[in-house]
């Protein structure tokens, strides 16, 4: 299928597909005789994986580091991260993302606690009301 149809089927835009290709996340697709990109089910599955990982907070640079293994995540069920030697850097990316999420959760919990104290009257200097 052509780029517009493929983008619509994957829930994205033709521009995003070209961007993924330029950044090395998506291998260059086959071309028609007239030079148009032609996408198949494998490419669509890979684009869906890329979009899911980006939605989970991974960066394009994170995904570039494991682009040669993204096709593994299109399997059903996908292999566990780090289940073999080839997943070592992928599991590092996952650990870093989880650590970043944990740090953000800690920051937000602290912020919530400060706000709750402030609105309940705790922690106000005397004389304020």
């Amino acid at each position: 299928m052509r780029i517009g149809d493929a983008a619509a089927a994957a829930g994205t835009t033709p521009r995003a597909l070209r961007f993924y290709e330029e950044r090395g996340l998506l291998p260059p697709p086959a071309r028609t005789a007239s030079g148009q990109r032609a996408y198949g089910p494998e490419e669509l599955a890979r684009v869906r994986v890329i979009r899911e990982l980006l939605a989970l907070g991974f960066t394009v640079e994170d995904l570039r580091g494991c682009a040669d293994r993204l096709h593994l995540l299109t399997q059903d069920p996908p292999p566990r991260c780090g289940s073999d030697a080839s997943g070592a850097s992928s599991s590092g990316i996952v650990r870093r993302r989880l650590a970043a999420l944990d740090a953000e959760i800690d920051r937000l919990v602290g912020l919530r606690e400060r706000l709750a104290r402030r609105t309940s009257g705790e922690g106000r200097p005397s004389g304020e009301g």
Side-chain angles (χ1 to χ4, degrees):
M1 74 180 65
R2 293 189 328 208
I3 193 168
D5 297 329
T12 192
T13 64
R15 185 175 179 185
L17 294 184
R18 288 188 290 271
F19 175 76
Y20 299 155
E21 182 183 340
E22 289 168 7
R23 301 303 293 166
L25 304 181
L26 190 60
R31 299 278 183 157
T32 65
S34 62
Q36 294 181 331
R37 290 172 171 87
Y39 296 89
E42 296 83 17
E43 290 85 8
L44 292 181
R46 186 176 177 115
V47 170
R48 288 183 185 111
V49 165
I50 291 167
R51 291 181 44 77
E52 179 182 2
L53 293 172
L54 292 172
L56 288 170
F58 291 97
T59 65
V60 169
E61 288 305 311
D62 290 337
L63 299 184
R64 282 186 69 187
C66 60
D68 61 328
R69 294 180 302 280
L70 288 176
H71 68 281
L72 297 173
L73 296 176
T74 64
Q75 298 173 2
D76 189 23
R80 290 179 42 93
C81 287
S83 60
D84 63 19
S86 69
S89 68
S90 300
S91 62
I93 294 167
V94 171
R95 280 194 299 276
R96 284 193 302 275
R97 181 64 188 138
L98 288 171
L101 287 170
D102 288 340
E104 181 66 5
I105 289 167
D106 291 344
R107 186 188 73 77
L108 290 171
V109 167
L111 182 63
R112 186 196 184 287
E113 290 170 355
R114 287 194 310 275
L115 179 59
R117 280 194 306 270
R118 179 104 174 147
T119 59
S120 70
E122 296 176 31
R124 280 193 201 147
S126 58
E128 287 186 21

